[in-house]
Amino acid sequence: MLEYMLLRRPDEFGLVPWGEWYRLKDVLKVLAEEGQPAREKHIRELNHLAVAEGLEPAFVIEEGLIRSSQGQPPQPQALEEPPVLLFGFCRRRAHAFVLANGLQPGQGERVVLAESQDQALAWGRRLDPEPIPVTVEALRASREGIRFERLGEAVYLAPELPPHLLKLPPLPQEKPREHKPEPAKAAPSQPFLPAEDDLPGSFRLRLEPEDQTGAGRGSKKKSWQKERRRERRRKQDGF
């Protein structure tokens, strides 16, 4: 499977070699899509098995790149006249940038295009679960001096593509933020104070109520003394 991908039909899987090399992470993603998930260690195990049988290691892995030691991969060929339309993709976070600046390849790369939008989006899902579809006016771009290449039967390559040659869906409108009323501030909590009678070393001043006649303690004392004097006079008088 790896030899078929790297040496015979890389275009069938949307893979583009850099000379002899491919990005290892792209190769592993393709294997997972084809139902044969693998990791770097599994490919290295294949090499160990080959060496154990007296054979040359089938693959070379260096700094995140992989190549086959069994031959040279196919290379892109210049294309005189591309189809009228080709299809690409961009990440969602690059949507606004591509609308304003066009499709720009990374360093040492080229823009990868397909003849169908479905194929382009399938390749784009390796980078973004919901890639943005991009339609390229390829024939018009070629007449304006942009050179296209073709790799195998399925992959088209181009350098930077300016925005006037692209068609993208409009940017999604941002939803207005709902105004939520601020929660009412809770009143500051008051420190707990026990009842006055419960405070240590405290007492409450109690006022004696007045009698029905309105006289206070002084009048009660005088009334008692008068009554005692009357009692003494009665005894002296013989009553």
Side-chain angles (χ1 to χ4, degrees), residues 104-177:
Q104 299 180 6
Q107 185 177 3
E109 298 181 5
R110 286 156 288 184
V111 177
V112 178
L113 305 170
E115 288 190 1
S116 73
Q117 187 177 89
D118 289 343
Q119 184 64 76
L121 293 179
W123 296 341
R125 291 188 189 97
R126 296 172 187 169
L127 301 176
D128 190 312
E130 298 179 5
I132 304 298
V134 180
T135 302
V136 180
E137 296 185 51
L139 184 58
R140 178 185 172 187
S142 178
R143 292 172 179 174
E144 292 185 7
I146 296 177
R147 298 181 60 184
F148 287 82
E149 294 178 308
R150 187 173 181 177
L151 176 65
E153 299 178 6
V155 170
Y156 294 81
L157 303 170
E160 179 180 350
L161 293 167
H164 71 276
L165 297 173
L166 309 178
K167 294 182 181 178
L168 285 82
L171 290 171
Q173 296 182 354
E174 295 184 0
K175 296 181 180 180
R177 296 181 179 178

Side-chain angles (χ1 to χ4, degrees), residues 91-109:
R91 299 183 184 187
R92 283 172 292 174
R93 66 182 183 183
H95 192 173
F97 178 87
V98 173
L99 279 173
N101 302 282
L103 277 175
Q104 299 180 6
Q107 185 177 3
E109 298 181 5

